[in-house]
mmCIF file of all heavy atoms in Angstrom:
data_model
loop_
_atom_site.group_PDB
_atom_site.id
_atom_site.type_symbol
_atom_site.label_atom_id
_atom_site.label_comp_id
_atom_site.label_asym_id
_atom_site.label_seq_id
_atom_site.Cartn_x
_atom_site.Cartn_y
_atom_site.Cartn_z
ATOM 1 N N MET V 1 25.576 -3.785 -2.783
ATOM 2 C CA MET V 1 25.269 -2.514 -3.413
ATOM 3 C C MET V 1 24.320 -1.718 -2.515
ATOM 4 O O MET V 1 23.452 -2.271 -1.866
ATOM 5 C CB MET V 1 24.633 -2.761 -4.780
ATOM 6 C CG MET V 1 24.325 -1.508 -5.534
ATOM 7 S SD MET V 1 23.722 -1.868 -7.190
ATOM 8 C CE MET V 1 24.778 -0.788 -8.100
ATOM 9 N N ALA V 2 24.484 -0.411 -2.527
ATOM 10 C CA ALA V 2 23.650 0.464 -1.704
ATOM 11 C C ALA V 2 22.215 0.482 -2.220
ATOM 12 O O ALA V 2 21.961 0.294 -3.412
ATOM 13 C CB ALA V 2 24.227 1.867 -1.710
ATOM 14 N N GLN V 3 21.304 0.705 -1.309
ATOM 15 C CA GLN V 3 19.878 0.741 -1.638
ATOM 16 C C GLN V 3 19.291 2.076 -1.189
ATOM 17 O O GLN V 3 19.752 2.669 -0.214
ATOM 18 C CB GLN V 3 19.136 -0.390 -0.930
ATOM 19 C CG GLN V 3 19.614 -1.778 -1.289
ATOM 20 C CD GLN V 3 19.106 -2.228 -2.636
ATOM 21 O OE1 GLN V 3 17.981 -1.982 -3.001
ATOM 22 N NE2 GLN V 3 19.961 -2.910 -3.390
ATOM 23 N N LEU V 4 18.266 2.540 -1.878
ATOM 24 C CA LEU V 4 17.528 3.740 -1.512
ATOM 25 C C LEU V 4 16.109 3.351 -1.130
ATOM 26 O O LEU V 4 15.475 2.559 -1.832
ATOM 27 C CB LEU V 4 17.460 4.733 -2.670
ATOM 28 C CG LEU V 4 18.752 5.342 -3.157
ATOM 29 C CD1 LEU V 4 18.486 6.213 -4.372
ATOM 30 C CD2 LEU V 4 19.414 6.153 -2.068
ATOM 31 N N LYS V 5 15.613 3.898 -0.007
ATOM 32 C CA LYS V 5 14.214 3.703 0.347
ATOM 33 C C LYS V 5 13.486 4.972 -0.057
ATOM 34 O O LYS V 5 13.812 6.068 0.396
ATOM 35 C CB LYS V 5 14.058 3.440 1.846
ATOM 36 C CG LYS V 5 12.629 3.120 2.204
ATOM 37 C CD LYS V 5 12.359 2.443 3.531
ATOM 38 C CE LYS V 5 13.014 2.906 4.742
ATOM 39 N NZ LYS V 5 12.429 2.388 5.980
ATOM 40 N N ILE V 6 12.492 4.832 -0.920
ATOM 41 C CA ILE V 6 11.777 5.970 -1.494
ATOM 42 C C ILE V 6 10.320 5.894 -1.071
ATOM 43 O O ILE V 6 9.678 4.865 -1.222
ATOM 44 C CB ILE V 6 11.888 5.955 -3.034
ATOM 45 C CG1 ILE V 6 13.354 5.900 -3.456
ATOM 46 C CG2 ILE V 6 11.194 7.171 -3.635
ATOM 47 C CD1 ILE V 6 13.562 5.567 -4.913
ATOM 48 N N LYS V 7 9.797 7.011 -0.529
ATOM 49 C CA LYS V 7 8.410 7.063 -0.061
ATOM 50 C C LYS V 7 7.699 8.234 -0.728
ATOM 51 O O LYS V 7 8.209 9.355 -0.738
ATOM 52 C CB LYS V 7 8.371 7.229 1.452
ATOM 53 C CG LYS V 7 6.968 7.271 2.027
ATOM 54 C CD LYS V 7 6.994 7.353 3.538
ATOM 55 C CE LYS V 7 5.587 7.316 4.102
ATOM 56 N NZ LYS V 7 5.588 7.361 5.568
ATOM 57 N N LEU V 8 6.512 7.961 -1.276
ATOM 58 C CA LEU V 8 5.705 9.015 -1.890
ATOM 59 C C LEU V 8 4.961 9.760 -0.790
ATOM 60 O O LEU V 8 4.191 9.162 -0.041
ATOM 61 C CB LEU V 8 4.723 8.417 -2.896
ATOM 62 C CG LEU V 8 3.921 9.404 -3.728
ATOM 63 C CD1 LEU V 8 4.840 10.224 -4.632
ATOM 64 C CD2 LEU V 8 2.895 8.679 -4.576
ATOM 65 N N VAL V 9 5.213 11.067 -0.657
ATOM 66 C CA VAL V 9 4.604 11.845 0.424
ATOM 67 C C VAL V 9 3.627 12.906 -0.076
ATOM 68 O O VAL V 9 2.883 13.472 0.718
ATOM 69 C CB VAL V 9 5.671 12.517 1.320
ATOM 70 C CG1 VAL V 9 6.476 11.470 2.057
ATOM 71 C CG2 VAL V 9 6.574 13.421 0.514
ATOM 72 N N LYS V 10 3.631 13.184 -1.367
ATOM 73 C CA LYS V 10 2.686 14.137 -1.943
ATOM 74 C C LYS V 10 1.926 13.471 -3.078
ATOM 75 O O LYS V 10 2.427 12.571 -3.741
ATOM 76 C CB LYS V 10 3.413 15.375 -2.478
ATOM 77 C CG LYS V 10 3.875 16.329 -1.421
ATOM 78 C CD LYS V 10 4.302 17.634 -2.061
ATOM 79 C CE LYS V 10 4.340 18.726 -1.030
ATOM 80 N NZ LYS V 10 4.647 20.007 -1.652
ATOM 81 N N SER V 11 0.724 13.951 -3.308
ATOM 82 C CA SER V 11 -0.147 13.377 -4.335
ATOM 83 C C SER V 11 0.401 13.634 -5.733
ATOM 84 O O SER V 11 1.043 14.659 -5.993
ATOM 85 C CB SER V 11 -1.542 13.978 -4.214
ATOM 86 O OG SER V 11 -2.368 13.527 -5.253
ATOM 87 N N LEU V 12 0.100 12.715 -6.623
ATOM 88 C CA LEU V 12 0.486 12.866 -8.024
ATOM 89 C C LEU V 12 -0.533 13.692 -8.807
ATOM 90 O O LEU V 12 -0.281 14.049 -9.963
ATOM 91 C CB LEU V 12 0.644 11.485 -8.671
ATOM 92 C CG LEU V 12 1.758 10.614 -8.101
ATOM 93 C CD1 LEU V 12 1.678 9.206 -8.694
ATOM 94 C CD2 LEU V 12 3.110 11.234 -8.362
ATOM 95 N N ILE V 13 -1.668 14.004 -8.182
ATOM 96 C CA ILE V 13 -2.693 14.800 -8.851
ATOM 97 C C ILE V 13 -2.120 16.179 -9.177
ATOM 98 O O ILE V 13 -1.532 16.837 -8.324
ATOM 99 C CB ILE V 13 -3.958 14.937 -7.979
ATOM 100 C CG1 ILE V 13 -4.593 13.583 -7.770
ATOM 101 C CG2 ILE V 13 -4.941 15.936 -8.579
ATOM 102 C CD1 ILE V 13 -5.738 13.570 -6.776
ATOM 103 N N GLY V 14 -2.270 16.596 -10.407
ATOM 104 C CA GLY V 14 -1.778 17.899 -10.839
ATOM 105 C C GLY V 14 -0.341 17.874 -11.318
ATOM 106 O O GLY V 14 0.159 18.887 -11.796
ATOM 107 N N SER V 15 0.331 16.738 -11.193
ATOM 108 C CA SER V 15 1.705 16.630 -11.681
ATOM 109 C C SER V 15 1.707 16.419 -13.188
ATOM 110 O O SER V 15 0.708 15.987 -13.774
ATOM 111 C CB SER V 15 2.409 15.443 -11.016
ATOM 112 O OG SER V 15 2.509 15.630 -9.632
ATOM 113 N N LYS V 16 2.833 16.712 -13.803
ATOM 114 C CA LYS V 16 2.966 16.496 -15.244
ATOM 115 C C LYS V 16 2.940 15.004 -15.551
ATOM 116 O O LYS V 16 3.285 14.175 -14.711
ATOM 117 C CB LYS V 16 4.284 17.094 -15.731
ATOM 118 C CG LYS V 16 4.358 18.596 -15.561
ATOM 119 C CD LYS V 16 5.704 19.097 -16.025
ATOM 120 C CE LYS V 16 5.809 20.587 -15.834
ATOM 121 N NZ LYS V 16 7.139 21.094 -16.204
ATOM 122 N N LYS V 17 2.557 14.677 -16.763
ATOM 123 C CA LYS V 17 2.439 13.270 -17.159
ATOM 124 C C LYS V 17 3.762 12.528 -17.029
ATOM 125 O O LYS V 17 3.788 11.358 -16.631
ATOM 126 C CB LYS V 17 1.922 13.164 -18.590
ATOM 127 C CG LYS V 17 0.466 13.511 -18.731
ATOM 128 C CD LYS V 17 -0.014 13.325 -20.155
ATOM 129 C CE LYS V 17 -1.479 13.706 -20.263
ATOM 130 N NZ LYS V 17 -1.979 13.521 -21.639
ATOM 131 N N ASP V 18 4.871 13.186 -17.367
ATOM 132 C CA ASP V 18 6.154 12.506 -17.270
ATOM 133 C C ASP V 18 6.559 12.247 -15.819
ATOM 134 O O ASP V 18 7.197 11.244 -15.510
ATOM 135 C CB ASP V 18 7.247 13.267 -18.016
ATOM 136 C CG ASP V 18 7.478 14.666 -17.489
ATOM 137 O OD1 ASP V 18 6.543 15.241 -16.899
ATOM 138 O OD2 ASP V 18 8.593 15.200 -17.675
ATOM 139 N N GLN V 19 6.142 13.133 -14.898
ATOM 140 C CA GLN V 19 6.427 12.915 -13.482
ATOM 141 C C GLN V 19 5.592 11.759 -12.932
ATOM 142 O O GLN V 19 6.081 10.950 -12.143
ATOM 143 C CB GLN V 19 6.168 14.186 -12.679
ATOM 144 C CG GLN V 19 7.156 15.290 -13.007
ATOM 145 C CD GLN V 19 6.798 16.606 -12.362
ATOM 146 O OE1 GLN V 19 5.647 16.842 -12.008
ATOM 147 N NE2 GLN V 19 7.791 17.462 -12.225
ATOM 148 N N ILE V 20 4.338 11.669 -13.356
ATOM 149 C CA ILE V 20 3.477 10.555 -12.939
ATOM 150 C C ILE V 20 4.058 9.243 -13.462
ATOM 151 O O ILE V 20 4.125 8.246 -12.731
ATOM 152 C CB ILE V 20 2.035 10.773 -13.439
ATOM 153 C CG1 ILE V 20 1.411 11.984 -12.747
ATOM 154 C CG2 ILE V 20 1.194 9.527 -13.210
ATOM 155 C CD1 ILE V 20 0.084 12.432 -13.334
ATOM 156 N N ALA V 21 4.509 9.240 -14.707
ATOM 157 C CA ALA V 21 5.097 8.035 -15.288
ATOM 158 C C ALA V 21 6.378 7.639 -14.562
ATOM 159 O O ALA V 21 6.636 6.449 -14.348
ATOM 160 C CB ALA V 21 5.385 8.260 -16.770
ATOM 161 N N THR V 22 7.163 8.608 -14.145
ATOM 162 C CA THR V 22 8.384 8.328 -13.397
ATOM 163 C C THR V 22 8.071 7.696 -12.046
ATOM 164 O O THR V 22 8.706 6.719 -11.642
ATOM 165 C CB THR V 22 9.205 9.619 -13.205
ATOM 166 O OG1 THR V 22 9.525 10.158 -14.484
ATOM 167 C CG2 THR V 22 10.477 9.347 -12.431
ATOM 168 N N ALA V 23 7.072 8.238 -11.350
ATOM 169 C CA ALA V 23 6.668 7.673 -10.058
ATOM 170 C C ALA V 23 6.182 6.238 -10.233
ATOM 171 O O ALA V 23 6.533 5.350 -9.448
ATOM 172 C CB ALA V 23 5.582 8.537 -9.427
ATOM 173 N N GLN V 24 5.407 5.987 -11.271
ATOM 174 C CA GLN V 24 4.908 4.641 -11.518
ATOM 175 C C GLN V 24 6.044 3.696 -11.904
ATOM 176 O O GLN V 24 6.030 2.523 -11.536
ATOM 177 C CB GLN V 24 3.825 4.664 -12.581
ATOM 178 C CG GLN V 24 2.547 5.309 -12.087
ATOM 179 C CD GLN V 24 1.482 5.450 -13.159
ATOM 180 O OE1 GLN V 24 1.770 5.320 -14.338
ATOM 181 N NE2 GLN V 24 0.264 5.733 -12.730
ATOM 182 N N ALA V 25 7.049 4.198 -12.614
ATOM 183 C CA ALA V 25 8.203 3.377 -12.973
ATOM 184 C C ALA V 25 8.989 2.970 -11.726
ATOM 185 O O ALA V 25 9.585 1.890 -11.692
ATOM 186 C CB ALA V 25 9.106 4.131 -13.939
ATOM 187 N N LEU V 26 8.970 3.819 -10.710
ATOM 188 C CA LEU V 26 9.624 3.483 -9.441
ATOM 189 C C LEU V 26 8.769 2.554 -8.589
ATOM 190 O O LEU V 26 9.237 2.014 -7.599
ATOM 191 C CB LEU V 26 9.935 4.761 -8.653
ATOM 192 C CG LEU V 26 11.086 5.613 -9.177
ATOM 193 C CD1 LEU V 26 11.120 6.954 -8.468
ATOM 194 C CD2 LEU V 26 12.407 4.884 -9.002
ATOM 195 N N GLY V 27 7.499 2.400 -8.948
ATOM 196 C CA GLY V 27 6.605 1.535 -8.181
ATOM 197 C C GLY V 27 5.760 2.279 -7.176
ATOM 198 O O GLY V 27 5.210 1.673 -6.253
ATOM 199 N N LEU V 28 5.628 3.595 -7.329
ATOM 200 C CA LEU V 28 4.857 4.432 -6.409
ATOM 201 C C LEU V 28 3.527 4.782 -7.056
ATOM 202 O O LEU V 28 3.496 5.358 -8.139
ATOM 203 C CB LEU V 28 5.635 5.712 -6.082
ATOM 204 C CG LEU V 28 7.033 5.497 -5.493
ATOM 205 C CD1 LEU V 28 7.793 6.808 -5.473
ATOM 206 C CD2 LEU V 28 6.944 4.898 -4.112
ATOM 207 N N LYS V 29 2.427 4.432 -6.382
ATOM 208 C CA LYS V 29 1.104 4.690 -6.954
ATOM 209 C C LYS V 29 0.274 5.641 -6.111
ATOM 210 O O LYS V 29 -0.437 6.474 -6.646
ATOM 211 C CB LYS V 29 0.356 3.376 -7.129
ATOM 212 C CG LYS V 29 1.003 2.464 -8.132
ATOM 213 C CD LYS V 29 0.254 1.181 -8.297
ATOM 214 C CE LYS V 29 0.981 0.295 -9.289
ATOM 215 N NZ LYS V 29 0.445 -1.050 -9.334
ATOM 216 N N LYS V 30 0.354 5.512 -4.783
ATOM 217 C CA LYS V 30 -0.447 6.382 -3.931
ATOM 218 C C LYS V 30 0.373 6.839 -2.728
ATOM 219 O O LYS V 30 1.428 6.258 -2.429
ATOM 220 C CB LYS V 30 -1.728 5.698 -3.493
ATOM 221 C CG LYS V 30 -1.552 4.381 -2.794
ATOM 222 C CD LYS V 30 -2.904 3.756 -2.521
ATOM 223 C CE LYS V 30 -2.737 2.398 -1.863
ATOM 224 N NZ LYS V 30 -4.016 1.773 -1.554
ATOM 225 N N ILE V 31 -0.085 7.866 -2.061
ATOM 226 C CA ILE V 31 0.628 8.442 -0.935
ATOM 227 C C ILE V 31 0.880 7.364 0.114
ATOM 228 O O ILE V 31 0.003 6.578 0.443
ATOM 229 C CB ILE V 31 -0.166 9.607 -0.324
ATOM 230 C CG1 ILE V 31 -0.296 10.740 -1.335
ATOM 231 C CG2 ILE V 31 0.511 10.122 0.945
ATOM 232 C CD1 ILE V 31 -1.173 11.874 -0.885
ATOM 233 N N GLY V 32 2.103 7.339 0.629
ATOM 234 C CA GLY V 32 2.478 6.369 1.648
ATOM 235 C C GLY V 32 3.172 5.143 1.098
ATOM 236 O O GLY V 32 3.748 4.369 1.861
ATOM 237 N N ASP V 33 3.134 4.942 -0.208
ATOM 238 C CA ASP V 33 3.826 3.794 -0.806
ATOM 239 C C ASP V 33 5.334 3.950 -0.620
ATOM 240 O O ASP V 33 5.886 5.039 -0.806
ATOM 241 C CB ASP V 33 3.530 3.683 -2.301
ATOM 242 C CG ASP V 33 2.176 3.094 -2.604
ATOM 243 O OD1 ASP V 33 1.498 2.661 -1.655
ATOM 244 O OD2 ASP V 33 1.799 3.070 -3.790
ATOM 245 N N GLU V 34 5.998 2.852 -0.244
ATOM 246 C CA GLU V 34 7.452 2.827 -0.093
ATOM 247 C C GLU V 34 8.029 1.727 -0.960
ATOM 248 O O GLU V 34 7.458 0.648 -1.061
ATOM 249 C CB GLU V 34 7.845 2.559 1.358
ATOM 250 C CG GLU V 34 7.603 3.704 2.296
ATOM 251 C CD GLU V 34 8.188 3.450 3.680
ATOM 252 O OE1 GLU V 34 9.132 2.650 3.791
ATOM 253 O OE2 GLU V 34 7.692 4.055 4.619
ATOM 254 N N VAL V 35 9.164 2.012 -1.575
ATOM 255 C CA VAL V 35 9.878 1.021 -2.372
ATOM 256 C C VAL V 35 11.361 1.113 -2.052
ATOM 257 O O VAL V 35 11.846 2.145 -1.594
ATOM 258 C CB VAL V 35 9.663 1.211 -3.892
ATOM 259 C CG1 VAL V 35 8.240 0.955 -4.290
ATOM 260 C CG2 VAL V 35 10.109 2.582 -4.338
ATOM 261 N N VAL V 36 12.059 0.025 -2.283
ATOM 262 C CA VAL V 36 13.518 -0.001 -2.154
ATOM 263 C C VAL V 36 14.083 -0.217 -3.540
ATOM 264 O O VAL V 36 13.734 -1.174 -4.225
ATOM 265 C CB VAL V 36 13.966 -1.120 -1.186
ATOM 266 C CG1 VAL V 36 15.472 -1.201 -1.132
ATOM 267 C CG2 VAL V 36 13.378 -0.891 0.199
ATOM 268 N N GLN V 37 14.946 0.697 -3.949
ATOM 269 C CA GLN V 37 15.548 0.653 -5.281
ATOM 270 C C GLN V 37 17.067 0.703 -5.137
ATOM 271 O O GLN V 37 17.587 1.248 -4.163
ATOM 272 C CB GLN V 37 15.089 1.858 -6.116
ATOM 273 C CG GLN V 37 13.615 1.899 -6.424
ATOM 274 C CD GLN V 37 13.228 0.952 -7.536
ATOM 275 O OE1 GLN V 37 14.058 0.544 -8.342
ATOM 276 N NE2 GLN V 37 11.954 0.588 -7.572
ATOM 277 N N PRO V 38 17.799 0.158 -6.106
ATOM 278 C CA PRO V 38 19.260 0.244 -6.054
ATOM 279 C C PRO V 38 19.724 1.687 -6.250
ATOM 280 O O PRO V 38 19.081 2.470 -6.956
ATOM 281 C CB PRO V 38 19.712 -0.635 -7.224
ATOM 282 C CG PRO V 38 18.545 -0.694 -8.134
ATOM 283 C CD PRO V 38 17.324 -0.571 -7.275
ATOM 284 N N ASP V 39 20.827 2.025 -5.597
ATOM 285 C CA ASP V 39 21.393 3.376 -5.712
ATOM 286 C C ASP V 39 22.325 3.392 -6.920
ATOM 287 O O ASP V 39 23.510 3.123 -6.820
ATOM 288 C CB ASP V 39 22.148 3.729 -4.431
ATOM 289 C CG ASP V 39 22.625 5.164 -4.412
ATOM 290 O OD1 ASP V 39 22.254 5.923 -5.327
ATOM 291 O OD2 ASP V 39 23.362 5.541 -3.480
ATOM 292 N N ASN V 40 21.760 3.699 -8.080
ATOM 293 C CA ASN V 40 22.538 3.763 -9.319
ATOM 294 C C ASN V 40 22.127 5.012 -10.104
ATOM 295 O O ASN V 40 21.170 5.692 -9.733
ATOM 296 C CB ASN V 40 22.361 2.483 -10.149
ATOM 297 C CG ASN V 40 20.914 2.200 -10.507
ATOM 298 O OD1 ASN V 40 20.115 3.106 -10.682
ATOM 299 N ND2 ASN V 40 20.567 0.931 -10.625
ATOM 300 N N PRO V 41 22.848 5.352 -11.156
ATOM 301 C CA PRO V 41 22.536 6.583 -11.901
ATOM 302 C C PRO V 41 21.112 6.634 -12.461
ATOM 303 O O PRO V 41 20.508 7.708 -12.508
ATOM 304 C CB PRO V 41 23.562 6.584 -13.031
ATOM 305 C CG PRO V 41 24.702 5.786 -12.503
ATOM 306 C CD PRO V 41 24.087 4.726 -11.642
ATOM 307 N N GLN V 42 20.570 5.490 -12.874
ATOM 308 C CA GLN V 42 19.220 5.473 -13.425
ATOM 309 C C GLN V 42 18.194 5.841 -12.357
ATOM 310 O O GLN V 42 17.301 6.666 -12.599
ATOM 311 C CB GLN V 42 18.882 4.087 -14.007
ATOM 312 C CG GLN V 42 19.673 3.715 -15.230
ATOM 313 C CD GLN V 42 21.045 3.129 -14.905
ATOM 314 O OE1 GLN V 42 21.367 2.889 -13.750
ATOM 315 N NE2 GLN V 42 21.850 2.923 -15.920
ATOM 316 N N THR V 43 18.309 5.250 -11.188
ATOM 317 C CA THR V 43 17.387 5.551 -10.097
ATOM 318 C C THR V 43 17.566 6.983 -9.628
ATOM 319 O O THR V 43 16.589 7.678 -9.351
ATOM 320 C CB THR V 43 17.597 4.571 -8.927
ATOM 321 O OG1 THR V 43 17.439 3.240 -9.401
ATOM 322 C CG2 THR V 43 16.594 4.826 -7.823
ATOM 323 N N ASN V 44 18.803 7.441 -9.547
ATOM 324 C CA ASN V 44 19.058 8.814 -9.110
ATOM 325 C C ASN V 44 18.447 9.833 -10.061
ATOM 326 O O ASN V 44 17.965 10.886 -9.635
ATOM 327 C CB ASN V 44 20.558 9.058 -8.950
ATOM 328 C CG ASN V 44 21.145 8.307 -7.782
ATOM 329 O OD1 ASN V 44 20.448 7.993 -6.822
ATOM 330 N ND2 ASN V 44 22.416 7.995 -7.856
ATOM 331 N N GLY V 45 18.432 9.541 -11.352
ATOM 332 C CA GLY V 45 17.800 10.427 -12.325
ATOM 333 C C GLY V 45 16.295 10.483 -12.133
ATOM 334 O O GLY V 45 15.689 11.556 -12.204
ATOM 335 N N LYS V 46 15.675 9.334 -11.851
ATOM 336 C CA LYS V 46 14.237 9.293 -11.604
ATOM 337 C C LYS V 46 13.895 10.055 -10.328
ATOM 338 O O LYS V 46 12.911 10.803 -10.283
ATOM 339 C CB LYS V 46 13.755 7.843 -11.503
ATOM 340 C CG LYS V 46 13.834 7.086 -12.806
ATOM 341 C CD LYS V 46 13.475 5.631 -12.603
ATOM 342 C CE LYS V 46 13.700 4.835 -13.871
ATOM 343 N NZ LYS V 46 13.466 3.409 -13.674
ATOM 344 N N VAL V 47 14.718 9.865 -9.300
ATOM 345 C CA VAL V 47 14.501 10.559 -8.027
ATOM 346 C C VAL V 47 14.610 12.073 -8.224
ATOM 347 O O VAL V 47 13.796 12.833 -7.705
ATOM 348 C CB VAL V 47 15.504 10.060 -6.965
ATOM 349 C CG1 VAL V 47 15.556 10.983 -5.768
ATOM 350 C CG2 VAL V 47 15.141 8.643 -6.531
ATOM 351 N N ALA V 48 15.593 12.509 -8.982
ATOM 352 C CA ALA V 48 15.783 13.945 -9.213
ATOM 353 C C ALA V 48 14.580 14.568 -9.908
ATOM 354 O O ALA V 48 14.238 15.729 -9.658
ATOM 355 C CB ALA V 48 17.050 14.180 -10.034
ATOM 356 N N LYS V 49 13.919 13.807 -10.760
ATOM 357 C CA LYS V 49 12.785 14.324 -11.525
ATOM 358 C C LYS V 49 11.567 14.581 -10.636
ATOM 359 O O LYS V 49 10.786 15.485 -10.905
ATOM 360 C CB LYS V 49 12.433 13.345 -12.637
ATOM 361 C CG LYS V 49 11.434 13.873 -13.628
ATOM 362 C CD LYS V 49 11.360 12.932 -14.808
ATOM 363 C CE LYS V 49 10.635 13.556 -15.948
ATOM 364 N NZ LYS V 49 11.435 14.491 -16.719
ATOM 365 N N ILE V 50 11.398 13.770 -9.561
ATOM 366 C CA ILE V 50 10.206 13.910 -8.709
ATOM 367 C C ILE V 50 10.576 14.137 -7.238
ATOM 368 O O ILE V 50 9.816 13.782 -6.338
ATOM 369 C CB ILE V 50 9.276 12.684 -8.848
ATOM 370 C CG1 ILE V 50 9.985 11.391 -8.454
ATOM 371 C CG2 ILE V 50 8.700 12.600 -10.249
ATOM 372 C CD1 ILE V 50 9.052 10.205 -8.331
ATOM 373 N N ILE V 51 11.732 14.743 -6.985
ATOM 374 C CA ILE V 51 12.216 14.927 -5.614
ATOM 375 C C ILE V 51 11.237 15.731 -4.759
ATOM 376 O O ILE V 51 11.168 15.540 -3.547
ATOM 377 C CB ILE V 51 13.625 15.567 -5.611
ATOM 378 C CG1 ILE V 51 14.261 15.516 -4.225
ATOM 379 C CG2 ILE V 51 13.573 17.000 -6.112
ATOM 380 C CD1 ILE V 51 14.590 14.117 -3.766
ATOM 381 N N HIS V 52 10.443 16.599 -5.357
ATOM 382 C CA HIS V 52 9.486 17.410 -4.608
ATOM 383 C C HIS V 52 8.264 16.609 -4.148
ATOM 384 O O HIS V 52 7.471 17.096 -3.346
ATOM 385 C CB HIS V 52 9.048 18.618 -5.442
ATOM 386 C CG HIS V 52 8.386 18.247 -6.734
ATOM 387 N ND1 HIS V 52 9.105 17.741 -7.822
ATOM 388 C CD2 HIS V 52 7.094 18.276 -7.118
ATOM 389 C CE1 HIS V 52 8.257 17.498 -8.808
ATOM 390 N NE2 HIS V 52 7.030 17.806 -8.411
ATOM 391 N N LEU V 53 8.127 15.375 -4.620
ATOM 392 C CA LEU V 53 6.986 14.537 -4.265
ATOM 393 C C LEU V 53 7.349 13.391 -3.315
ATOM 394 O O LEU V 53 6.460 12.720 -2.807
ATOM 395 C CB LEU V 53 6.366 13.924 -5.531
ATOM 396 C CG LEU V 53 5.868 14.878 -6.598
ATOM 397 C CD1 LEU V 53 5.465 14.116 -7.853
ATOM 398 C CD2 LEU V 53 4.719 15.699 -6.079
ATOM 399 N N ILE V 54 8.635 13.173 -3.071
ATOM 400 C CA ILE V 54 9.083 11.992 -2.349
ATOM 401 C C ILE V 54 10.046 12.324 -1.212
ATOM 402 O O ILE V 54 10.577 13.422 -1.157
ATOM 403 C CB ILE V 54 9.771 10.990 -3.305
ATOM 404 C CG1 ILE V 54 10.978 11.632 -3.997
ATOM 405 C CG2 ILE V 54 8.794 10.455 -4.331
ATOM 406 C CD1 ILE V 54 11.768 10.695 -4.880
ATOM 407 N N ASP V 55 10.222 11.341 -0.326
ATOM 408 C CA ASP V 55 11.290 11.353 0.677
ATOM 409 C C ASP V 55 12.224 10.203 0.339
ATOM 410 O O ASP V 55 11.755 9.102 0.027
ATOM 411 C CB ASP V 55 10.741 11.149 2.090
ATOM 412 C CG ASP V 55 10.218 12.428 2.713
ATOM 413 O OD1 ASP V 55 10.605 13.520 2.249
ATOM 414 O OD2 ASP V 55 9.438 12.331 3.672
ATOM 415 N N VAL V 56 13.528 10.448 0.444
ATOM 416 C CA VAL V 56 14.518 9.430 0.098
ATOM 417 C C VAL V 56 15.488 9.282 1.252
ATOM 418 O O VAL V 56 15.929 10.267 1.844
ATOM 419 C CB VAL V 56 15.310 9.832 -1.170
ATOM 420 C CG1 VAL V 56 16.328 8.777 -1.538
ATOM 421 C CG2 VAL V 56 14.378 10.103 -2.325
ATOM 422 N N CYS V 57 15.796 8.027 1.611
ATOM 423 C CA CYS V 57 16.829 7.763 2.601
ATOM 424 C C CYS V 57 17.560 6.483 2.214
ATOM 425 O O CYS V 57 17.074 5.702 1.396
ATOM 426 C CB CYS V 57 16.244 7.665 4.015
ATOM 427 S SG CYS V 57 15.117 6.314 4.246
ATOM 428 N N LYS V 58 18.735 6.287 2.804
ATOM 429 C CA LYS V 58 19.502 5.065 2.550
ATOM 430 C C LYS V 58 18.831 3.902 3.261
ATOM 431 O O LYS V 58 18.363 4.038 4.386
ATOM 432 C CB LYS V 58 20.931 5.207 3.061
ATOM 433 C CG LYS V 58 21.732 6.284 2.373
ATOM 434 C CD LYS V 58 22.231 5.808 1.047
ATOM 435 C CE LYS V 58 23.104 6.895 0.416
ATOM 436 N NZ LYS V 58 23.543 6.533 -0.900
ATOM 437 N N ALA V 59 18.749 2.762 2.607
ATOM 438 C CA ALA V 59 18.127 1.585 3.217
ATOM 439 C C ALA V 59 19.185 0.593 3.655
ATOM 440 O O ALA V 59 20.265 0.570 3.192
ATOM 441 C CB ALA V 59 17.178 0.925 2.230
#
């Protein structure tokens, strides 16, 4: 199965509570954190919600 590498590049300070919760659900807590998640509809929905805060590439 395909994987996505997700990196937090902008601060969560000033973001809405639901966006902060989404980042934490992905495993992102502070700038520079990287996680590998499966490329599925659930992950894609989370990525779409905080796309302005992250960088995404295929892993």
